[in-house]
Amino acid sequence: MANSKYEYVKQFEKDDSLLPATFIVVRLDGRGFHKLSTKYGFQKPNDGAALDLMNEAATAVLQELPDISIAYGVSDEFSKIITTVVSTFTSAYIYGWSDHFPSSPLSAPLPSFDGRAVLYPNVKTIRDYLSWRQVDCHINNLYNTTFWAMVQRGEMRPTEAEEQLKGTIASDKNEILFSRFKINYNNESEIFKKGSVIYRKVSWVA
């Protein structure tokens, strides 16, 4: 397109450069995964095979992109980072699907993910970010564990369970789980309550 009358279109390409000397977090989110989990019958509130597949895909990203140090799951030039991480994760997720769900072959629409990059200035902020994600994981999982116990074991309609859970705090949900269903939330799997962390081991060579 050099030296043509059409070259003006390059003016619409924005600068995607990220700030130097910052920590880059790429956050991935499954697109339409509520429908996908229903389509393939994921166990509620947590599906171990689905989480294992997500961890496997995240591990593949770390293996392919050595500059990434850590991945937490409850994801230069901006567009290149996003595209590379999201495409690597998605391809690994689809490739590993049959190992985790052998009786549920994939069909259209296929799983897909979107992503965004956020810059953090120092290690403390990164630690706070991961702490925030872990707290968010706990809050969501406690709600989902209580909600699905009420629906599956308490035989309530989803709308009824939602209505009863409105305005409740953590202690209320723990009480519902234990008094009605004899579920001690503290005994739930740690990966469900806190998420998973995949990290790169670094060896110092003298």
Side-chain angles (χ1 to χ4, degrees), residues 32-44 47 97 104 148:
F33 261 54
H34 178 74
K35 291 182 179 178
L36 183 136
S37 63
T38 300
K39 177 181 178 180
Y40 293 102
F42 284 15
Q43 294 182 21
K44 305 292 186 180
D47 190 297
W97 176 274
S104 301
W148 285 107

Side-chain angles (χ1 to χ4, degrees), residues 65-79:
L65 305 172
D67 288 336
I68 297 178
S69 302
I70 187 171
Y72 174 78
V74 213
S75 117
D76 268 82
E77 290 184 358
F78 179 88
S79 59

Side-chain angles (χ1 to χ4, degrees), residues 133-145:
R133 297 304 304 161
Q134 194 169 71
V135 169
D136 198 49
C137 175
H138 161 69
I139 293 172
N140 290 334
N141 187 66
L142 178 57
Y143 179 93
N144 289 332
T145 301

Side-chain angles (χ1 to χ4, degrees), residues 64-117:
E64 290 293 326
L65 305 172
D67 288 336
I68 297 178
S69 302
I70 187 171
Y72 174 78
V74 213
S75 117
D76 268 82
E77 290 184 358
F78 179 88
S79 59
K80 287 185 178 178
I81 289 177
I82 293 293
T83 304
T84 303
V85 172
V86 173
S87 61
T88 302
F89 188 95
T90 302
S91 61
Y93 186 91
I94 292 175
Y95 181 80
W97 176 274
S98 59
D99 293 334
H100 298 271
F101 299 98
S103 59
S104 301
L106 280 173
S107 60
L110 295 174
S112 62
F113 298 83
D114 58 32
R116 56 178 170 165

Side-chain angles (χ1 to χ4, degrees), residues 5-6 8 14 21 32 35 49 55 62 86 95 98 103 109-110 122 126 143 174 182 187 194 197-198 205:
K5 66 178 181 180
Y6 303 111
Y8 78 92
K14 66 178 182 178
K35 291 182 179 178
N55 289 336
L62 265 69
V86 173
Y95 181 80
S98 59
S103 59
L110 295 174
N122 50 52
I126 286 288
Y143 179 93
N174 277 298
K182 304 305 179 187
N187 295 334
K194 298 181 179 179
V197 176
I198 300 166
V205 179

